[in-house]
Structure formats: C-alpha cells, structure tokens
Amino acid sequence: VLYKESVGTGTPTPVTPEMERVKHNQEICSSVLYKENIGKATPTPVTPEMERVKRNQEIISSVLYKENVGKVTPTPITPEMERVKRNQEIISSVLYKENVGQATPTPVTPEMERVKRNQEQISSVAYREGLGKATPSPVTPEMERVKRNQEQISSVLYKEHMAKGTPTPLTPEMERAKRNQENISSVLYSDSFRKQVQGKAAYVLDTPEMRRVRETQKHISTVKYHEDFEKSKGSFTPVVTDPITERVKKNMQDFSDISYRGIQRRVVEMERKRVDQDQENLTG
C-alpha cells in the first residue's frame, strides 16, 4: 500500500513494435545467460526407488493440499447465475471475434497437401524413434492373483462405505400392489396401442422407385428358387425298405402291369365266355 501511494500517477505509453523487439531480445539474453550458468550435468537413470519416492511425494502433496483447503459452503446454481454465465460467454466470444481482425482465406493447393502429409510422416517417424525399445512382460499367475486381490479389496472397501439398509419382507399386500401396477400398466399400454396403432393402416406411396425394387425382389426370388431347384434336382431321399413297403410296392406294380397290358380286359372277356358256355350247356 505505501509503495503504491509513493508511486503517484503515471502516463501510460503504448506498446510499440520497437518495445516488443527489445523485450523479446531481453528474454533471449536472459535464457542464454541462464543456460550458460547451469554448467554440465550427469544424467541419472530413473530407478524403482526414485519412482517410489516420487509417488510418495505426490501422495503427501495431495494430502497436504486437501488439509489446507478448509471447509467451504456450497452455493446452489440459481437461474440468475446461469444467465450471467451465458452472458459472459457470449461477451467473451464477441470480444474475441472483434480482436481477430479480417483474414484472407487461402485455397488448399496440392503442394500444401503434400507438405502436410510429409510433416505428419516426419512427426510419426520422429515419435517412434524417441520411444526406444521395450521388453514385454508376460502375465504370470502371481500377477493374476494380485489383480484379483486388488479387485476384492476394492469391492470390500466399497461395501464398507455403503450404509446399512433395513430389509423389508415381501408381504401379500405388496404382492397385490405389484400385480395391480402391472395390470394398470398393461391396460394403459393396450389403450394407447388401440388408440394410436390398432385399426390404422400405414400408407406407403407407390413410387416408381418402389415398383422397381419390388420387381427386382421378384426376379431375385425367382432366380434363387431356380438355383435351389437345380441344386436339388437329381438328388433323392433314402428310405428304409420294410416288408410292408415291399408289399405295397409289389401291389402297385401288379396294378400297373394289369392296367398297362390289358390283363383286366382279357379276364373280363374270358369270364363272359365262360358264362355263355355254361348257359349253352344248360339249354343244350
């Protein structure tokens, strides 16, 4: 406060390009001098012990940070706060667009596309070169056991943090109320179905495109049918030959022979001749 009182009022000066250049040069000089004073160092490998110490320091820092936070009073987000937040976002967007200025769009030429692809390939190659070699480690039974133990410990801790509940018995009254709710839901669903869907047909325009698709489907079905028929043609289904089948087959063959050779007609003629002969013998 005393420092600011003794300063007095000043005259603001605009930041000129010359001032920007001097400031930039000063930053470069400071960076160079800083690096010169560092000297040479010997790199040390990151050992498991150093990793353990680093993790412990992070855990300790997190615990201390949470202890120093203190208690706060949560405030609800009111519609007024939402309105102010949206207005601030709109104002920030408008100010950002005002400070952008006008730009001249440049077309993306094939040369620019080629340079872009080359840069991506160079970045990918450089990234892979910096990765180094890794040694894959197999998943041993010990690692599987530790993983299962960790899952069980996490499950136990999760269940410990849960509060205890009071089980309630499923009484006949609750069963009745449950069935009534199901019946009411079914009745409401059926009513809405009857009012909205049942008895109403879905009208579809018979456009030339749909007629073409329908004709194509018919042709495809016909071709498929003929293809299946050609595949199944010439094949037969074997059946078991039993005495009954043999007897029926023989009877059918006899009937076919009688019909084909005219044996039945000759039998009838012979029977008629025998009757006539008997009558002649009786009269003679």
Side-chain angles (χ1 to χ4, degrees):
V1 174
L2 295 176
Y3 170 74
K4 292 182 179 179
E5 287 179 356
S6 61
V7 169
T9 59
T11 303
T13 58
V15 180
T16 60
E18 182 66 20
M19 294 174 68
E20 287 286 341
R21 185 181 64 79
V22 172
K23 182 179 178 182
H24 184 63
N25 291 338
Q26 287 293 330
E27 292 176 353
I28 294 173
C29 293
S30 300
S31 176
V32 171
L33 293 175
Y34 172 75
K35 291 180 180 179
E36 286 180 354
N37 294 329
I38 286 177
K40 296 181 180 180
T42 303
T44 58
V46 180
T47 61
E49 183 66 20
M50 293 174 68
E51 289 285 341
R52 186 182 63 79
V53 172
K54 184 179 177 182
R55 283 197 300 271
N56 291 339
Q57 288 293 331
E58 292 174 355
I59 295 170
I60 293 170
S61 299
S62 175
V63 171
L64 294 176
Y65 171 76
K66 291 180 180 178
E67 288 180 355
N68 295 328
V69 168
K71 295 182 180 179
V72 295
T73 304
T75 57
I77 298 176
T78 60
E80 182 66 18
M81 293 173 68
E82 288 285 342
R83 186 182 64 80
V84 172
K85 183 179 178 181
R86 284 198 300 272
N87 291 339
Q88 288 294 330
E89 292 175 354
I90 295 170
I91 292 169
S92 300
S93 177
V94 171
L95 293 176
Y96 173 75
K97 292 180 180 179
E98 288 179 354
N99 295 329
V100 169
Q102 296 180 352
T104 304
T106 58
V108 180
T109 60
E111 181 66 19
M112 293 173 68
E113 288 286 341
R114 185 180 64 80
V115 173
K116 183 179 178 182
R117 283 197 301 272
N118 291 339
Q119 287 294 330
E120 292 175 353
Q121 292 173 0
I122 292 169
S123 299
S124 177
V125 171
Y127 171 75
R128 292 179 181 175
E129 287 179 353
L131 283 179
K133 295 181 179 179
T135 304
S137 58
V139 180
T140 61
E142 182 66 20
M143 294 173 67
E144 288 287 341
R145 186 182 62 80
V146 172
K147 183 179 178 182
R148 284 197 301 271
N149 290 340
Q150 288 294 330
E151 293 174 355
Q152 292 172 0
I153 292 169
S154 300
S155 176
V156 171
L157 293 176
Y158 171 76
K159 292 179 180 178
E160 285 181 355
H161 292 300
M162 293 176 64
K164 293 183 178 180
T166 303
T168 57
L170 193 60
T171 60
E173 182 66 21
M174 293 174 68
E175 287 285 344
R176 187 184 63 79
K178 183 179 178 182
R179 283 197 301 273
N180 290 340
Q181 287 294 327
E182 292 175 353
N183 294 333
I184 292 169
S185 300
S186 177
V187 170
L188 293 176
Y189 173 76
S190 300
D191 288 342
S192 63
F193 175 77
R194 281 194 294 269
K195 291 178 182 178
Q196 298 177 7
V197 179
Q198 191 175 13
K200 296 182 180 179
Y203 297 97
V204 181
L205 296 178
D206 192 10
T207 58
E209 180 66 20
M210 293 186 67
R211 286 197 292 272
R212 184 184 65 79
V213 172
R214 190 163 58 244
E215 290 295 329
T216 304
Q217 288 294 330
K218 289 181 181 178
H219 294 324
I220 292 171
S221 300
T222 304
V223 171
K224 182 67 175 172
Y225 171 76
H226 284 293
E227 183 181 352
D228 294 340
F229 175 75
E230 291 296 331
K231 288 181 179 179
S232 61
K233 187 170 67 174
S235 61
F236 60 90
T237 303
V239 294
V240 179
T241 304
D242 53 355
I244 297 176
T245 306
E246 288 290 338
R247 184 176 59 80
V248 172
K249 183 178 178 182
K250 188 175 183 303
N251 291 337
M252 292 301 294
Q253 187 68 33
D254 294 338
F255 289 145
S256 298
D257 291 341
I258 291 171
S259 299
Y260 177 72
R261 297 176 183 176
I263 296 175
Q264 183 69 26
R265 186 172 61 254
R266 283 186 289 175
V267 169
V268 172
E269 291 177 357
M270 291 174 65
E271 184 67 23
R272 188 174 61 249
K273 288 180 181 180
R274 188 181 63 80
V275 172
D276 292 339
Q277 188 176 1
D278 291 340
Q279 295 220 359
E280 287 177 359
N281 293 330
L282 289 175
T283 57

